[in-house]
Amino acid sequence: MAKRARYRLSRREFVNLVVGALGSIMGAVVGIPIIGYLVSPALKAQKSEAWIPLGPLENYPIDVPTPFNFTRTKVHGWERTVSSYGVYVLRTAEDQAKVFSNVCTHLSCRVKWREDLGQYACPCHDGFFDKNGDVISGPPPRPLDQYETKVEDGNLLIHFVEG
Amino acid sequence: MTEKVLSWLDERLGLTTIYSVVLDRKVPKVNWWYTLGSATLFLLIMQILTGIFLTVYYVPSPDHAYDSVQYIMTGVSFGWLIRGIHHWGASLMVVFVVLHMLRTFYLGAYKYPRELTWFTGVILLLATLGMGFTGYLLPWNQRAYWATTVGTSIAGTVPVIGPLIMRVLRGGTDLSAVTLARFFAMHIWGLPAIILAVVGIHLYLVVRIGISSVPTEED
């Protein structure tokens, strides 16, 4: 006889146990779908990446930040949203270019290249970046984001990653 | 601790009184046909809950209604389940409301002193049918569109005021975004408000008067 056998489950305890177990199962059967239903769109991976062509590299003047705009279509649930993005292309050499996002690293306003200042200026909180995207003054915490670039057959492409 | 909290609440809310009046009330020995009202109430609660969850994603606009329903069915986890329960529950609701009415009629439960219970029941029956009619349009698919075209046209056959009724239902001469929006409004605000209020009266009367017993030979 094992020692454990001495302990006898009373009828009341047994019923409590069974009710508790069945109740938990039923709660899970009802609760999990509801939580999944409410939360699932937030958990879906909405990553998108692509190589976006910015045209022949030779179109861009050397050492002058030149704006380029493109659009991306995203599906949010039942809706397609077309978002536009802006970048600045800085052709540094005959076959090289840096491409900066025009999103200010402070609070996501759009920066503009000011030829008169020779700086990128963010109108929202007076953030300034130099030609290479480094912070000169103002609140931005880090330099302008850069895209990975490559040149294929004389065409400039950037690696666009989102999400 | 819990006991203390409960007795504190009980003293102020009269929970035990509510419990004994509502759940411990005397009922005559009856049969399974007398459970149809409770079954309908259960279905109503399911419809309210699943309906609330559907509004999380559904959009009552011609541009997005169909797509948002497709999104619920394929894009959201368990969306098919929530909409499926709402869809089938709607049909079951009509079935159970009608069966409940037939039981009340055939067993003579509508008679004195329960005329008002019957009367509120009639309102609930009509409101339930109204829920079915307005809800049918919301998926905004071909079936929904043409069913509502036909349904509102039927309303238009009423002598003299028919065309006016049809225009009011449609919110104009044709089925349009306006129709969808007003059907949606009636489906989630207007009719539920009526149903909840009248169900309250209906249940109050059931508790107050008590349910009827199965008629005997002497009745």
Side-chain angles (χ1 to χ4, degrees):
Chain A
M1 275 288 155
K3 268 185 186 168
R4 294 173 61 218
R6 219 181 280 161
Y7 180 76
R8 284 192 49 138
L9 204 62
S10 75
R11 182 184 296 244
R12 179 174 294 269
E13 284 170 328
F14 174 76
V15 169
N16 282 345
L17 208 69
V18 170
V19 168
L22 289 180
S24 308
I25 292 170
M26 279 160 34
V29 166
V30 175
I32 289 172
I34 289 173
I35 292 169
Y37 179 80
L38 292 176
V39 169
S40 70
L43 301 182
K44 287 238 167 70
Q46 291 196 324
K47 218 169 145 92
S48 76
E49 59 170 330
W51 281 96
I52 298 185
L54 303 193
L57 186 56
E58 62 187 17
N59 287 0
Y60 294 95
I62 289 180
D63 222 29
V64 180
T66 313
F68 182 87
N69 294 306
F70 59 91
T71 57
R72 299 278 297 160
T73 305
K74 246 180 136 176
V75 179
H76 297 102
W78 53 87
E79 197 199 23
R80 299 168 87 64
T81 311
V82 179
S83 311
S84 61
Y85 296 85
V87 298
Y88 277 98
V89 179
L90 178 66
R91 190 176 170 198
T92 47
E94 206 52 49
D95 57 350
Q96 278 181 356
K98 285 180 177 173
V99 179
F100 299 98
S101 161
N102 73 346
V103 176
C104 180
T105 52
H106 178 221
L107 291 171
S108 304
C109 289
R110 302 297 188 256
V111 300
K112 187 183 192 319
W113 173 253
R114 294 273 302 270
E115 195 60 60
D116 53 333
L117 301 173
Q119 292 174 356
Y120 294 101
C122 180
C124 292
H125 305 102
D126 280 343
F128 292 94
F129 304 85
D130 69 14
K131 197 181 270 183
N132 287 310
D134 292 320
V135 182
I136 295 170
S137 65
R142 60 172 200 275
L144 287 174
D145 293 326
Q146 280 192 47
Y147 287 98
E148 189 189 336
T149 60
K150 70 177 176 184
V151 181
E152 263 177 14
D153 303 331
N155 288 312
L156 176 66
L157 295 98
I158 58 170
H159 193 206
F160 177 85
V161 183
E162 193 186 43
Chain B
M1 182 61 195
T2 15
E3 232 166 80
K4 259 187 165 175
V5 173
L6 282 180
S7 69
W8 189 91
L9 287 172
D10 184 29
E11 192 183 342
R12 283 149 186 85
L13 294 171
L15 296 174
T16 40
T17 316
I18 295 175
Y19 183 89
S20 59
V21 168
V22 174
L23 293 175
D24 284 345
R25 67 180 200 276
K26 288 196 166 55
V27 289
K29 182 158 174 51
V30 290
N31 55 40
W32 280 95
W33 294 106
Y34 286 72
T35 60
L36 289 167
S38 298
T40 311
L41 181 62
F42 173 77
L43 284 169
L44 172 65
I45 292 167
M46 290 299 279
Q47 291 305 97
I48 291 170
L49 292 177
T50 53
I52 288 171
F53 283 117
L54 287 175
T55 60
V56 174
Y57 298 109
Y58 177 75
V59 178
S61 127
D63 290 341
H64 296 305
Y66 181 79
D67 288 338
S68 66
V69 172
Q70 292 307 304
Y71 179 65
I72 290 169
M73 293 302 279
T74 57
V76 185
S77 302
F78 299 106
W80 56 272
L81 180 64
I82 304 277
R83 175 156 179 254
I85 294 173
H86 201 75
H87 176 97
W88 292 104
S91 300
L92 278 179
M93 181 100 190
V94 174
V95 170
F96 274 72
V97 165
V98 169
L99 287 177
H100 180 51
M101 183 199 73
L102 291 175
R103 184 234 102 197
T104 309
F105 180 72
Y106 284 121
L107 297 179
Y110 57 89
K111 295 177 183 174
Y112 174 86
R114 300 186 180 81
E115 303 95 322
L116 272 182
T117 322
W118 172 268
F119 183 68
T120 50
V122 172
I123 297 172
L124 288 171
L125 170 67
L126 295 175
T128 303
L129 296 178
M131 286 298 270
F133 183 58
T134 49
Y136 209 81
L137 177 67
L138 303 186
W140 202 247
N141 52 24
Q142 287 291 326
R143 185 184 352 192
Y145 185 90
W146 294 107
T148 305
T149 303
V150 171
T152 49
S153 296
I154 291 171
T157 60
V158 172
V160 188
I161 55 166
L164 177 66
I165 294 173
M166 188 173 81
R167 286 176 63 117
V168 170
L169 284 174
R170 290 182 181 177
T173 48
D174 305 302
L175 229 65
S176 65
V178 181
T179 321
L180 182 59
R182 66 209 287 114
F183 270 50
F184 179 73
M186 285 314 287
H187 191 78
I188 74 160
W189 297 118
L191 289 168
I194 293 170
I195 287 175
L196 287 179
V198 179
V199 162
I201 301 170
H202 200 72
L203 292 179
Y204 169 75
L205 290 171
V206 169
V207 170
R208 180 182 150 78
I209 303 172
I211 61 172
S212 65
S213 52
V214 184
T216 56
E217 262 179 58
E218 292 96 70
D219 288 325

